[in-house]
C-alpha cells in the first residue's frame, strides 16, 4: 500500500532525522532528534533552537503538546505532519505519542562548564546504555546537581533514548563530555572539589562520610565499575552496601542513592 | 534465503516462547521466557525448573554461561541451539548474547508471602514500564527488601523485559501480585507493618522520619503517582525533595533513595 506521495518537506526532515542517528552527525551539526512530549516541551522551555517539530496529528492527544506546537509555529518553526505509519517508522516508542523535534543541542565541552561555588557534580564514566544515562541525568537534575560530566566510551548524551529518558532535563542541566575519566577528575580537582569514587570493593560505606562541598561523585560502568586509573585519581572511594544477590545497583539508581545521601548530609531541602 | 529446514524441537520451543509473550499464558502455565546471561544463571541458582535452554552457539562467549548450559544439560534440561538469525528473532536485545531459557516461574499470590519479623517490603502500584519494574526489583533485592508486592494495573513481573532488567533477582526475591493497591496496604497492616506512601505532594521530606520496622514503602506510577485510595490507606506520606525541572524521579531510582534512607536509619550495613 504505497499511499499518497511523500511531500518534499516531509522527505527532507525524515532524512535529517535518519542522519542524526549517527553520533558524528549530531556532533558536527550540534543537533539532535528528540521524541516525546516532555522532552520536546523541555527543549522549548530551555529556549533551544527547534529546527522542526514533527507530529502525527491523529496520535497527539495532549493539549499542552498542541499548545507548544502552536507556539513553535508562531515562532516560525517548520511543522511537519506525518501519517501514523510514517511517524511510527521514526519512533522507537511502543505506543508513539506523536510528537518529536529536531533540536539544536549538543553536550558542552568540559572547559565550558563553570559550576557555581559549593556545587555538587556527577562524573559518569563508561555508562553504556543510553536509557540509563538519561535516567542518570534526570536523577542528577532532580537532586540539584550543578552538572554531569560524561567520561569514557559510554553512551552519547545526545542519543535519542538518553534525551527521552532524561525527560528533557538534559536540555537544562549542564552536560559536558570529558574524554577520559582522569581528565574529568582533574577538572573537578582544579575547581576545588573533593572527588568521591563509587566502587563495589571500597571498604567504606557511603553513609557517614564527611561530604564537604564542592563535591564530585564519580560513578562507573554498569558492568565493570570505574576504570582503575579513574578510581586511583579520586580522593576517596565508597560503596553502597548490598544485601541481595546482584553485585550492584543500576547506575542511575546508585547515583540517586549517593546524591540524596549527600543532600541529606548537607542539610536536606 | 530459506536456509535449512527448522528441526521439530526448535520449532516447538520457538512456538512456546512466542506463546509466553501473552501474560495470560504465563499466568496459566506458571512459566516465563528469560533472556540474558545473568538472568538465566539466576534462574539456575534459584533452583527453578528450567524447561529448556535456548542458545546461539556462535554468539555465546561467556564461559560461565557455557558452564551453566553444561550443568543444565546434565540435569536433563533440553538444549535448543538456534542459528544467529533465528535467535535474533526471539531476542529483544540490540546485541543478543545468545542465551535464553523457558523457566517455571510466576509471581506468588499475596497470601503466600510471609516476610520475616522486622522486614522491609516494597509495594509498587501501577508501575507501567516492565524495565522500570525490573530495575525496581533489582534495587529492592540490593537493599535487602524481604519482598516486593506488585499492585494495580502496571507491568507484569514475568514480562521478559522485567526479568532481564531485574538481572534475575526476581527469581530469588519474593514477588507477589496484590490486585488493587489498598489490598496490598491491608496485607502489610495485618502483618504489623507501618505503611509509608511516597507522594510528590507530601509535606514531609523522606529524611528524618522515624521508620520503625517492620515497614512497607509504597511507590506509585511513573506518570500519576499513587492512586488516592491507596495513598489514603497509608499511615504517612513522604516526598523526595526535588531541585530540578522534572517533577519526579524514575520510580526505581525513587525506590532506591527511600530504601537506602531506611537502611541508614536502621543502622546501615
Amino acid at each position: 500500500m504505497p499511499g499518497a506521495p511523500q511531500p518534499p518537506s516531509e522527505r527532507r526532515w525524515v532524512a535529517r532525522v535518519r542522519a542524526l542517528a549517527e553520533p558524528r552527525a549530531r556532533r558536527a551539526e550540534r543537533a539532535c532528534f528528540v521524541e516525546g512530549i516532555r522532552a520536546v516541551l523541555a527543549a522549548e522551555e530551555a529556549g533551544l533552537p527547534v529546527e522542526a517539530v514533527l507530529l502525527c496529528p491523529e496520535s497527539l492527544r495532549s493539549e499542552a503538546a498542541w499548545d507548544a506546537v502552536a507556539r513553535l509555529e508562531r515562532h516560525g518553526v517548520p511543522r511537519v505532519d506525518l501519517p501514523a505509519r510514517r511517524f511510527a517508522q521514526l519512533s522507537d516508542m511502543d505506543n508513539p505519542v506523536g510528537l518529536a523535534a529536531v533540536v539544536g543541542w549538543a553536550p558542552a565541552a568540559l572547559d565550558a562548564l563553570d559550576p557555581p561555588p559549593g556545587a555538587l557534580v556527577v562524573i559518569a564514566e563508561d555508562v553504556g546504555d543510553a536509557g540509563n544515562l538519561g535516567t542518570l541525568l534526570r536523577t542528577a537534575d532532580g537532586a540539584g546537581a550543578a552538572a554531569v560530566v560524561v567520561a569514557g566510551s559510554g553512551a552519547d548524551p545526545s542519543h535519542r533514548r538518553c534525551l527521552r529518558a532524561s525527560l528533557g532535563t538534559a536540555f537544562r542541566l549542564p552536560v559536558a563530555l570529558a574524554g577520559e575519566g582522569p581528565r574529568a577528575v582533574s577538572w573537578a580537582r582544579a575547581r576545588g572539589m573533593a572527588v568521591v569514587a563509587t566502587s563495589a570493593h571500597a571498604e567504606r560505606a557511603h553513609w557517614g562520610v564527611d561530604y564537604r562541598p564542592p563535591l564530585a561523585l564519580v560513578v562507573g560502568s554498569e558492568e565493570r565499575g570505574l576504570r582503575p586509573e579513574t578510581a586511583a585519581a579520586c580522593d576517596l572511594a565508597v560503596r553502597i552496601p548490598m544485601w541481595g544477590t546482584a553485585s550492584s545497583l543500576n547506575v542511575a539508581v546508585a547515583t540517586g542513592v549517593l546524591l540524596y545521601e549527600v543532600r541529606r548530609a548537607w542539610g536536606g531541602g
Side-chain angles (χ1 to χ4, degrees), chain A residues 204-215:
Chain A
R204 203 158 173 176
H206 74 290
W207 292 306
V209 173
D210 182 15
Y211 294 114
R212 257 178 252 172
L215 181 73

Side-chain angles (χ1 to χ4, degrees), chain A residues 14-169:
Chain A
V14 167
R16 178 134 177 81
V17 169
R18 294 204 198 286
L20 290 174
E22 284 300 320
R24 201 175 309 186
R26 296 196 295 270
R27 214 160 29 232
E29 307 183 28
R30 299 193 64 75
C32 59
F33 174 69
V34 66
E35 186 185 4
I37 292 170
R38 285 197 274 190
V40 173
L41 289 177
E44 192 212 3
E45 275 159 28
L48 293 173
V50 178
E51 289 183 25
V53 57
L54 289 84
L55 72 159
C56 174
E58 54 203 290
S59 307
L60 189 61
R61 302 248 175 279
S62 153
E63 221 170 300
W66 276 108
D67 289 347
V69 170
R71 282 193 303 273
L72 291 166
E73 282 194 275
R74 278 201 298 280
H75 288 94
V77 173
R79 165 180 159 174
V80 185
D81 287 16
L82 298 172
R85 189 173 49 90
R86 289 227 180 87
F87 194 93
Q89 285 165 356
L90 287 186
S91 173
D92 62 4
M93 295 172 83
D94 287 342
N95 298 299
V97 293
L99 187 65
V102 176
V103 174
W105 181 84
L110 187 55
D111 294 328
L113 268 198
D114 186 23
L120 176 57
V121 162
V122 176
I123 298 171
E125 181 181 66
D126 295 336
V127 173
D129 181 83
N132 278 346
L133 184 60
T135 306
L136 186 155
L137 295 178
R138 174 181 174 187
T139 304
D141 181 70
V148 173
V149 177
V150 177
S153 61
D156 177 358
S158 68
H159 191 293
R160 54 192 288 172
R161 282 212 304 270
C162 175
L163 297 173
R164 185 145 53 82
S166 89
L167 300 187
T169 56

